[in-house]
Amino acid sequence: MARAITNQRKAVNTLVAWVIGLLIFFPILWTVLTSFKTEAVAIADPPIWFNFHWTLENYFTVQERSNYFRHFWNSVVISVGSTVLGLVIAVPAAWAMAFVPGKRTKDLLMWMLSTKMLPPVGVLVPIYLLFRNMGLLDTKLGLIIVLTLINLPIIIWMLYTYFREIPGDILEAARMDGANLRNEVIYVLLPMAVPGIASTLLLNIILAWNEAFWTLNLTAAKAAPLTAFIASYSSPEGLFYAKLSAASTMAIAPILIMGWFSQKQLVRGLTFGAVK
């Protein structure tokens, strides 16, 4: 029997949730506010919160100095491309592990996840040399490949978890009705796992969108996404806080809006199968 939750405890939990949420959101709020300040106001001590002259000058300067929309398009192609390619590879792999499990399935999953524990800088030199020799430096294709490989363990782990919640009897019934392996995966398995696939897709787009290490080291100008666009406002002469904040706001705005509108789908997918 479930234990009743008192109104007082609900109020405390709500308050704690709001405090944590505001602490997490505060850096974003401060960045947005700073983007509307002049450089002098941005570095004022003590900080000026709202009582300042709001200006769009930083946004105009950022757009004049660098082509925002080119970087934005590069980010869209790289994040969506790497996620779609990862799903194409991960769906059959997760299906095999979920419905044709072997004795070493868990060991294989742990091995794949362990690749995320390696510091990226540890493999930077060999990957850089491979990309240079193969002509993939500063190309969107090269970044799609490397980000696919980086996020593939997470994609497989998430899909494996969702697929395990689907009764195998349903797939067996489809085979008895004459469905081959391709039809079983496309017309039976995938429609039943739509919430999990959607949340996996959204989460990995966010991870690829925010990836900075590889995008800064494997691009120069042609394929540079928004992470490189932000880094360009850090120079040896110093940090231009207002312009840097404007660039950061322009970079995070698209993914923030996408996350806001897809939060229900994301939560639904991440809790898929949690309630029996």
Side-chain angles (χ1 to χ4, degrees), residues 196-214:
I197 293 174
S199 64
T200 302
L201 185 145
L202 292 170
L203 182 61
N204 282 274
I205 286 178
I206 294 172
L207 291 174
W209 188 280
N210 294 328
E211 175 60 43
F213 179 83
W214 293 108

Side-chain angles (χ1 to χ4, degrees), residues 132-208:
R132 186 192 63 183
N133 296 335
M134 298 173 65
L136 293 175
L137 276 180
D138 200 18
T139 64
K140 290 190 281 290
L141 176 60
L143 285 178
I144 287 174
I145 292 173
V146 74
L147 292 184
T148 297
L149 296 176
I150 289 172
N151 293 327
L152 192 59
I154 296 177
I155 301 175
I156 293 177
W157 258 92
M158 292 182 68
L159 291 181
Y160 168 79
T161 303
Y162 300 135
F163 289 173
R164 287 286 292 175
E165 300 297 329
I166 297 175
D169 294 341
I170 296 178
L171 301 182
E172 186 176 346
R175 297 189 201 106
M176 294 178 63
D177 288 337
N180 56 29
L181 179 59
R182 177 177 174 275
N183 292 335
E184 175 188 329
V185 173
I186 295 177
Y187 297 110
V188 181
L189 179 65
L190 294 185
M192 296 184 65
V194 165
I197 293 174
S199 64
T200 302
L201 185 145
L202 292 170
L203 182 61
N204 282 274
I205 286 178
I206 294 172
L207 291 174

Side-chain angles (χ1 to χ4, degrees), residues 113-124 127 150 214:
L113 192 61
S114 69
T115 61
K116 296 290 294 179
M117 304 174 189
L118 175 69
V121 70
V123 292
L124 173 61
I127 289 181
I150 289 172
W214 293 108

